[in-house]
Amino acid sequence: MSLVRLKIKGISYSQTQNGAYALILNEVDGDRKLPIVIGAFEAQSIAIALEKEIKPPRPLTHDLFKNFADRFEIIVKQVIIHKLVDGVFYSSIICERDKIEEIIDARTSDAIALALRFNAPIFTYKTILDKAGIFLKFSSKDKEKEESTESIMVDEILQEGETVEIDSGASDAYKELSLEELHQELDKAVTNEDYEKAAKLRDEISKRQR
């Protein structure tokens, strides 16, 4: 079966359902997107790995795994999302030590959080993308339309009870802050280990700097 390489498009959170997040993966050589429901901790861990400017004062679990692997010269070569059963994705982490390759079963959210820290590629099988992928193609002028349509499509394919509303905007309170105040709030959020708030603040800062 042929493998398709994926990249992370972003993480979306639900304002109506506590602890519900959607990780959106995009095929590298195409326009289909693969949405995966993940937990709050994994969403924070992935967001921190994506946002290079957010540095936790203490290592998170996935950072600890990376430090452990580095110490014992274990390399994560790639992650493969290899199965989809009843809306649940199953993944494998391909590791190597002393030129011996091992395959480790993992939750997809954990596997991706580690792939980011090792700069390892993420793949899935074409059959899985054909089954669960969303095909969207818009011009740059239609970005808002794309996000709105993507939200509807994600809701349609996720299992009942796992609906996630795509919301990439910051809260009204953040919009009223100056850029300097946003940076100050970001520093406070990181110090307090409130990474969900830090990610939202970083989104608003990035939006202002475009």
Side-chain angles (χ1 to χ4, degrees), residues 8-135:
I8 297 175
K9 184 176 186 294
I11 300 173
S12 300
Y13 61 93
S14 172
Q15 291 184 327
T16 59
Q17 186 177 341
N18 244 353
Y21 291 78
L23 173 66
I24 311 296
L25 301 173
N26 202 109
E27 61 179 328
V28 171
D29 297 319
D31 298 294
R32 286 178 295 181
K33 296 171 178 61
L34 192 67
I36 300 173
V37 173
I38 61 175
F41 172 77
E42 291 78 11
Q44 288 181 359
S45 183
I46 291 170
I48 288 166
L50 289 170
E51 297 288 350
K52 305 300 183 183
E53 293 181 30
I54 299 178
K55 300 294 182 185
R58 298 178 296 172
L60 300 178
T61 303
H62 297 110
D63 298 317
L64 177 61
F65 184 97
K66 173 67 163 61
N67 295 338
F68 182 90
D70 288 345
R71 182 67 59 90
F72 290 94
E73 299 181 345
I74 300 169
I75 301 169
V76 171
K77 296 179 66 178
Q78 61 183 6
V79 162
I80 299 176
I81 303 169
H82 64 84
K83 186 167 66 173
L84 173 60
V85 179
D86 296 330
V88 177
F89 292 91
Y90 294 78
S91 295
S92 295
I93 302 173
I94 315 301
C95 303
E96 185 180 274
R97 182 173 184 264
D98 295 334
K99 297 184 179 179
I100 299 174
E101 194 170 272
E102 299 285 351
I103 300 175
I104 300 173
D105 182 48
R107 294 188 306 168
T108 298
S109 53
D110 289 327
I112 290 173
L114 291 174
L116 284 169
R117 286 162 170 81
F118 283 88
N119 292 317
I122 302 165
F123 296 94
T124 192
Y125 289 110
K126 183 178 180 296
T127 51
I128 292 177
L129 198 56
D130 289 342
K131 182 179 179 182
I134 300 169
F135 185 82

Side-chain angles (χ1 to χ4, degrees), residues 119-158:
N119 292 317
I122 302 165
F123 296 94
T124 192
Y125 289 110
K126 183 178 180 296
T127 51
I128 292 177
L129 198 56
D130 289 342
K131 182 179 179 182
I134 300 169
F135 185 82
L136 294 172
K137 190 169 184 179
F138 294 99
S139 66
S140 58
K141 295 179 182 178
D142 295 329
K143 183 171 176 58
E144 289 183 8
K145 180 182 177 183
E146 177 183 0
E147 290 175 352
S148 174
T149 305
E150 182 177 287
S151 174
I152 296 168
M153 294 293 288
V154 169
D155 286 349
E156 285 177 355
I157 72 165
L158 292 179

